[in-house]
Amino acid sequence: SIIFSGQSGAGAGGMKRNGPLVLGRWRPCAREPALCPGLVWLERAADLLQVQRNFAGALAACERGLEWLGRQPGGSAPRAADIRASLCAMGLQALAERRQWRRAWDWLLQQYGSPDRIPAALLQLW
């Protein structure tokens, strides 16, 4: 499966991480009292993708999480960037499982707007 992991500090592409994403579960840092809705969608997408093997449902959950991030003030904050990249990685995996690679590039561009804004870690999945 394709899920970002890393310890606190700078991660792939210089993104700052607050904790690793392990088996579809983000372990928030101690100063963070509750999961934000973006993380709830991330966990839901991971469950659908990895456990239930419901690829269409996983893609839909990724898209809902991405929609939520797009509506939030500070949606470009480092934490939001990590969540966006993780949702996109799972979305790409869901598209690959459905053999929809032709759609994947356009889907990714829709999330980031232009190729130069796509994190290197996501481009490496290509």
Side-chain angles (χ1 to χ4, degrees):
S1 66
I2 301 172
I3 297 179
F4 292 112
S5 63
Q7 298 300 326
S8 295
M15 294 186 293
K16 192 158 177 97
R17 301 191 184 288
N18 288 331
L21 180 62
V22 180
L23 296 175
R25 299 193 188 284
W26 186 282
R27 295 186 310 204
C29 60
R31 66 182 181 271
E32 189 170 18
L35 294 177
C36 73
L39 292 176
V40 172
W41 284 113
L42 181 60
E43 184 165 333
R44 177 72 178 138
D47 180 66
L48 287 164
L49 181 70
Q50 298 173 334
V51 178
Q52 298 180 34
R53 310 287 294 164
N54 178 347
F55 307 124
L59 182 60
C62 290
E63 289 174 344
R64 291 287 305 270
L66 291 162
E67 287 172 15
W68 181 86
L69 281 173
R71 292 190 304 266
Q72 298 309 305
S76 61
R79 180 67 185 241
D82 281 345
I83 296 169
R84 179 177 308 282
S86 294
L87 285 165
C88 285
M90 275 192 262
L92 289 174
Q93 181 66 35
L95 287 167
E97 295 287 353
R98 297 178 75 200
R99 302 195 191 299
Q100 294 182 359
W101 272 109
R102 292 181 188 192
R103 181 178 163 211
W105 180 249
D106 290 335
W107 184 83
L108 193 57
L109 280 176
Q110 179 182 348
Q111 309 312 319
Y112 283 96
S114 67
D116 59 318
R117 295 177 64 197
I118 300 172
L122 290 175
L123 293 174
Q124 291 173 353
L125 298 177
W126 222 255

